[in-house]
Amino acid sequence: MVSMDVVSLHSNIPNEFGIQAVKKHMIDRNITNPPPELISEMLTFILNRNYFEFNGKFFLQTMGTAMGTMTAPSYANIAMGQIEDNILKQAEHKPEKWKRFIDDVRFLWNHGLDKLLLFHEYSNTIHPTIKFTINYSTEKLPFLDTTMINENGKIATTIYTNPTDKHSYLW
């Protein structure tokens, strides 16, 4: 069982790459209303005016998108989809049961540890600013809010809580 996570996805998507990924996504799916060119113009406007304040000073974010903007989840998801397609199309050894939630990926690997580490290394060459971390186990592996458990060759899941979680909830 393997999980990979992109390091700081939102702030590491180059604007031109992300905009082209969104445009390609729309064209590939024959989405014409609104036109892909208009969406590209609006994304360019948003991404080139991504100002924020820190310690009383204003800054312009020049690459990527802020996580708090309304466009960020869809934009990051589509950009990540482009990277995912490139990884899976070109990989010599392919993972099984690949599943992704935005920048978190989990899959099964049956080609041995050496080839897994090569796959991870290869995945980090697909794009210059998008880099993956990796975790793997033959027994159990946390992924998002679940733990995947190998029970005699079948995958079971349970709820995962971080060891530092105090289980304090507001009512």
Side-chain angles (χ1 to χ4, degrees):
M1 299 175 291
V2 182
S3 69
M4 294 193 328
D5 181 29
V6 175
V7 178
S8 303
L9 175 64
H10 286 79
S11 60
N12 280 309
I13 304 169
N15 294 351
E16 188 174 315
F17 171 79
I19 292 166
Q20 287 302 315
V22 170
K23 191 172 184 179
K24 180 182 182 318
H25 175 82
M26 292 180 72
I27 291 168
D28 288 351
R29 285 154 185 79
N30 200 28
I31 300 169
T32 57
N33 191 14
E37 294 76 22
L38 177 60
I39 297 298
S40 295
E41 285 180 38
M42 291 190 302
L43 278 172
T44 300
F45 182 86
I46 291 167
L47 294 169
N48 288 331
R49 288 160 182 81
N50 197 4
Y51 293 95
F52 62 95
E53 182 182 1
F54 179 73
N55 280 344
K57 295 182 181 179
F58 286 91
F59 298 89
L60 172 64
Q61 184 169 338
T62 58
M63 185 168 83
T65 183
M67 289 178 67
T69 63
M70 290 181 66
T71 58
S74 296
Y75 175 77
N77 202 20
I78 291 170
M80 187 61 200
Q82 179 72 51
I83 291 164
E84 173 185 59
D85 286 349
N86 292 341
I87 289 171
L88 295 175
K89 283 179 189 172
Q90 300 171 27
E92 181 179 349
H93 298 283
K94 305 212 185 299
E96 294 183 33
K97 301 193 187 280
W98 175 284
K99 300 292 181 188
R100 177 177 61 85
F101 179 74
I102 304 179
D103 67 338
D104 295 294
V105 180
R106 70 114 173 117
F107 56 89
L108 300 178
W109 189 261
N110 293 316
H111 308 289
L113 181 57
D114 290 344
K115 289 183 178 151
L116 173 61
L117 297 176
L118 286 173
F119 178 79
H120 175 240
E121 186 178 307
Y122 155 76
S123 297
N124 281 331
T125 68
I126 293 297
H127 195 278
T129 61
I130 305 299
K131 301 301 175 202
F132 293 88
T133 62
I134 187 170
N135 291 304
Y136 52 88
S137 174
T138 57
E139 296 171 17
K140 66 184 192 176
L141 183 72
F143 178 72
L144 298 175
D145 291 336
T146 65
T147 298
M148 298 185 298
I149 304 164
N150 182 351
E151 292 183 348
N152 299 320
K154 295 192 181 210
I155 304 297
T157 59
T158 186
I159 295 174
Y160 172 79
T161 55
N162 192 308
T164 60
D165 190 345
K166 302 277 187 218
H167 301 284
S168 298
Y169 304 102
L170 296 175
W171 294 96

